[in-house]
Amino acid sequence: MSGQQTIMTGLLGYPVEHSMSPVMQNAAFKQLGIPYYYAAFAVHPDRLGQAVEGIRALGFRGVNVTIPHKVNVIDFLDDLHEEARLIGAVNTIVHENGKLIGYNTDGRGYVRSLLRETKISLSEQNVLILGAGGAARAIAVSLARSGVAGMVITNRTPEKAAELAESIQRHTDTRVRALSLSDLPDVVPDSTLLINTTSVGMSPNESDSPVPGELLHQRLVVSDLVYNPLETKLLKEARQAGCVTHSGLGMLVHQGALAFELWTGKEAPAELMYEKAHHMLTST
Ligand code: ATR
């Protein structure tokens, strides 16, 4: 960094030890030869306000925000991008002339990764989302704003699916319905894009799948946010059924790539970031 002042970025979470973002982001900064650095900070929830004030005081360019701070951090920001407002959570802060602005790149990162990897046309998709937590909300908002044909949300706790569907319906033109898990046999045949946002199938429960394999059909693109393992049981059964598949690693990479672009104003080397994340997952 020979005399040039380092421009600091980082991650606020609790815990942060397992984050792949520092390696991904620092490799990207290095590739572009720009004097940025990304560090992970474990911030206790009681100290979140102080940590956010620290971004301003220390002149950080911005940070990512992760669990458990994505919703509570909003109280400490000066402004919110519209998508972050609709999602109700922030995963990226940009420090602009003393002002802290909250963004959410999770949903857009997901959509960008999906489009790059599957080449589907969103306007033709009847989307079925499994789960109604934070990740589902980010993805559902971004897909609805991207103009998908229709959306169904199902969840173990039906009230949460109903609340999410109602909230998206209120703010976008996309037709959204909440259905119960017992409706899956009726809904999957009419769906073209199935997205698992639940943790079902995540290591160490690799033998679980959120959807009975016999429901999967060839016209379905199947996307699983779980990336540990990289090929979940759901994705394996989907591949065997002739479906196009999409793994959750792409969302992780592209939410980071979009944050990188907000901080630097430069296109992120997303392929390099993907390679780094993939390497970290497969070498541990
Ligand atoms: P995230 O931020 O990753 O979305 P979250 O907000 O805790 O995490 O949401 C987790 C989602 O996975 C929820 O939809 C949850 O269902 P409930 O709302 O019923 O809790 C779903 N989920 C987690 N474990 C599950 C399981 N064993 N079976 C079905 N759904 C599960």
Side-chain angles (χ1 to χ4, degrees), residues 131-135 155-157 160 198-200:
N155 193 44
R156 177 177 62 181
T157 310
K160 281 170 66 184
T198 76
S199 50
V200 177

Side-chain angles (χ1 to χ4, degrees), residues 264-276:
T264 67
K266 296 180 191 301
E267 189 181 338
E271 278 174 28
L272 171 78
M273 295 168 85
Y274 192 99
E275 272 168 38
K276 291 287 173 188

Side-chain angles (χ1 to χ4, degrees), residues 109-129:
Y110 173 79
V111 170
R112 192 158 96 168
S113 146
L114 180 74
L115 294 181
R116 288 195 184 182
E117 290 186 38
T118 67
K119 317 274 188 251
I120 57 172
S121 158
L122 287 182
S123 61
E124 293 164 11
Q125 303 305 315
N126 287 311
V127 184
L128 171 56
I129 296 181

Side-chain angles (χ1 to χ4, degrees), residues 82 85-86 137 141 144 162-176:
E82 192 193 351
R85 194 187 312 278
L86 285 179
R137 179 172 290 271
V141 166
E163 190 278 327
L164 179 55
E166 196 269 324
S167 146
I168 291 169
Q169 189 70 88
R170 209 174 334 124
H171 294 108
T172 71
D173 297 329
T174 301
R175 182 158 180 268
V176 190

